[in-house]
Amino acid sequence: ADAASVYDALFRPSDDDEHGDGKQRREVACWSHARRKYWEAALAKEPAAREALLRIQKIFSAEAECRGKRRPPSKIRTLRQAHVAPLVEDFIAFATLEYAKVEEQRGSLRSAFGYTLRQADALRAFLDDGRLRIDNNLSERELRKVVRIRDASLFAGSDEHAEAAGHILTLIASARLHDLDPECYLRELCRVLPHWPKGRYLELSPLHWR
């Protein structure tokens, strides 16, 4: 997640021990959101922000090398610890020094370095688990689809039409989830539906389509 305060409730321990699951939550921060702060400062022609962007680019490049070739999570973690972790620690040390220079100033540069230091532990979290990603861009892209669909649904015409559109959009998303071509899947689905027994409709779901 990014550092929006709305997410804080997700990482707080449960006050209700009786109904809690006994698990601990750990926040994993998004490096793309951290990088965005430095872009804003770089547009204001801050040399330290440009230096930060170059350092973050090296982190992303090293991460791409670690994740390549469909490596298992355990291997990704080992490679990260060797190649990405030192870059991350160097960057946080750099941010600490630079923040001390601008701490008393107001502006995008202080905001960028302050964001990094407040999120330092969460920005390190991806290093400890090869299943985690360095950013949450995948979920951000999916959220944008929801927003666009929400805006389009204002003009659906009726609740029934909006519900029908929701069903179709769900099928499209499920088809993508199961590596199906959504257009081909829906075309073939429409072809077989008139002749298909109603009691066996689950067999037509994207999960079982192949």
Side-chain angles (χ1 to χ4, degrees):
D2 59 54
S5 59
V6 68
Y7 297 125
D8 290 347
L10 297 175
F11 309 119
R12 284 198 294 265
S14 174
D15 296 329
D16 187 355
D17 293 334
E18 181 181 353
H19 297 96
D21 58 10
K23 305 296 183 182
Q24 288 185 335
R25 275 76 175 169
R26 185 175 182 188
E27 182 178 2
V28 183
C30 172
W31 274 89
S32 287
H33 279 88
R35 180 176 57 185
R36 186 179 305 163
K37 302 287 184 181
Y38 293 102
W39 273 113
E40 295 168 0
L43 290 175
K45 299 183 179 179
E46 296 283 1
R50 293 196 292 270
E51 171 70 16
L53 288 174
L54 289 173
R55 288 171 177 264
I56 293 175
Q57 182 184 12
K58 291 181 180 179
I59 293 173
F60 271 87
S61 297
E63 168 67 7
E65 289 291 330
C66 293
R67 292 193 66 87
K69 301 180 181 178
R70 295 183 176 271
R71 294 188 175 102
S74 58
K75 181 65 173 177
I76 291 173
R77 182 185 182 281
T78 301
L79 291 171
R80 276 177 177 168
Q81 294 296 325
H83 302 291
V84 183
L87 296 175
V88 170
E89 294 303 325
D90 285 347
F91 182 82
I92 292 175
F94 163 76
T96 302
L97 291 173
E98 293 298 324
Y99 182 72
K101 299 176 184 178
V102 298
E103 188 174 2
E104 302 301 325
Q105 303 174 16
R106 300 182 65 178
S108 56
L109 191 60
R110 186 183 75 168
S111 175
F113 285 121
Y115 183 97
T116 295
L117 296 182
R118 288 191 300 273
Q119 294 291 105
D121 288 340
L123 286 169
R124 292 184 178 104
F126 80 100
L127 297 168
D128 296 330
D129 191 331
R131 297 170 299 175
L132 299 175
R133 299 184 65 89
I134 193 172
D135 56 46
N136 65 345
N137 289 344
L138 290 176
S139 58
E140 289 278 336
R141 283 194 290 269
E142 295 304 313
L143 282 172
R144 287 196 185 94
K145 296 176 186 176
V146 174
V147 172
R148 289 199 297 266
I149 291 166
R150 179 194 64 196
D151 293 342
S153 296
L154 293 173
F155 309 100
S158 70
D159 290 348
E160 290 78 12
H161 288 143
E163 186 175 351
H167 293 158
I168 294 174
L169 292 168
T170 300
L171 284 173
I172 292 172
S174 296
R176 286 176 174 157
L177 179 67
H178 295 288
D179 295 324
L180 299 173
D181 179 345
E183 183 179 357
C184 180
Y185 166 69
L186 289 175
R187 184 171 60 246
E188 294 177 353
L189 183 65
C190 291
R191 186 176 298 148
V192 302
L193 267 177
H195 317 289
W196 196 262
K198 290 184 178 180
R200 293 169 53 192
Y201 64 91
L202 284 178
E203 295 175 35
L204 299 179
S205 67
L207 175 64
H208 303 294
W209 185 254
R210 290 193 189 280

